[in-house]
Amino acid sequence: MEQAVMMRGRMVHFASGETQLQRYGRDDSEVIWSVHRGRLNIVMLDAAEAAGARIHFNRRIDGVDFERRTLELVDDHARSRFCEPFELLVGADGAGSAVRRAMDAVAPLGERIEPLGHDYKELEIPPGSDGSFMLEANALHIWPRGGYMSIALPNTERSFTVTLFLPTHPPEGEPAPDSGPVASFQTIPTVADARALFDRDFPDLLPLLPDFDRDFVDNPTSGLSTLYLDRWCHGDVAVLLGDAAHAMVPFHGQGMNCAFEDCVSLADKLCDDGLCDTGEALAAFEAERRPNAEAIQRMALENYVEMRDRVDDADFLLQRALERVLADRHPGVFVPRYAMVSFTLVPYATAFARGQVQRGILVELTRGVERLEDVDLDRADALVAERLVPLDAA
Ligand SMILES: Cc1cc2nc3c(=O)[nH]c(=O)nc-3n(C[C@H](O)[C@H](O)[C@H](O)COP(=O)(O)OP(=O)(O)OC[C@H]3O[C@@H](n4cnc5c(N)ncnc54)[C@H](O)[C@@H]3O)c2cc1C
């Protein structure tokens, strides 16, 4: 936690220049945290070593012989290639997994990769000249602009990592704006084009980015996709987890959390005496985690639309306000989906299903209503009682 900065909610930066904090939870017990990725990796490596793991750097898996249970490894530094035996292979090697490729080659996994059609690029807001944060520190900042957005997350060294999300190509059939470039990575090939876009769409953000030109050129533009597989296991020999099994778009901030939940589930199943052998344990792991991974993949896609397009929309804000009221009136029963995903260990699939029911209730109660005071709360109570059981009984 020493490496983390608390984020109480979304600080929305409207096109008008006004800002508004939309809290994630009820109070400071329901917040999310921004953690430096590199430092988190070091904490994890230290914990793994302390638990008895041996870590080998610069050894890349390049092939797997599942029959003989051997890995083919490449050391790119020493330019050498060698084999290592294994008992059980856990492919936690990320979205471009070499283990997945090897598994797919011997028995197809039903791989489907759906590109989002939007890419991202990171930029940086350094600390001010007095060493302070240049924006409110305890918030996730969003500049929603309809089909695209920028966000900024605080770091412990008082900088912010900014991420620009834009369509890869110009949206089809949309007329070019009167001023500045169309918002897509394809239509801003030069720094001057990118500056023109920021000047028009993020004029309050641009002055906070002193190294804009350098960052824009040096930092890669990276793609975003969702990966779906029909199978994660190869008998009792190999299993995939984390991004290797279910890479997702980053808009719920849950990719890593989902990977951690995979680890807990896999460890439980491997230690479960009720399961006869490793093959059964791997199958039970996949049966438990795959529906949950699919649910958070879907919620992550939905959250992109919410972040870039809905956080400044009147209907959405009314539904959010009502959601709070219902959460207070029915604690443990009407729990906002974001809270279930972010502040509890409720399985993602349960959060998704209950979220659908709750969304239905909110839409029904706010139809034709403009102000929170005009919502019929007796009807709201009746709908909650009729459609939701307490979360701990679900
Ligand atoms: C822009 C962005 C923002 C994100 N924000 C969040 C967030 O806020 N919260 C969150 O929970 N998640 C977030 N995520 C998702 C998160 O980064 C991933 O879900 C998470 O890193 C997945 O962990 P992993 O261990 O499965 O894979 P990775 O972190 O990709 O790790 C894979 C490892 O395997 C190694 N490897 C790769 N190939 C080989 C090979 N051939 N041989 C040996 N080793 C290999 C790599 O070096 C790496 O160490 C974000 C992702 C993106 C792109």
Side-chain angles (χ1 to χ4, degrees), residues 126 153 181 231 259 286 332 350 355 357 394:
L153 275 78
R231 288 190 305 108
E286 182 184 322
T350 307
V357 175

Side-chain angles (χ1 to χ4, degrees), residues 347-365:
Y348 294 127
T350 307
F352 180 74
R354 289 180 72 98
Q356 298 278 78
V357 175
Q358 294 179 171
R359 172 78 51 93
I361 293 175
L362 295 174
V363 169
E364 223 170 298
L365 291 169

Side-chain angles (χ1 to χ4, degrees), residues 42-43 107 141-142 153 160 166 191 213 232 240 242 377 389:
I42 292 169
V43 169
H141 295 264
I142 310 186
L153 275 78
F160 286 86
L166 281 184
V191 169
D213 293 7
W232 294 1
L240 299 170
L377 289 179
V389 293

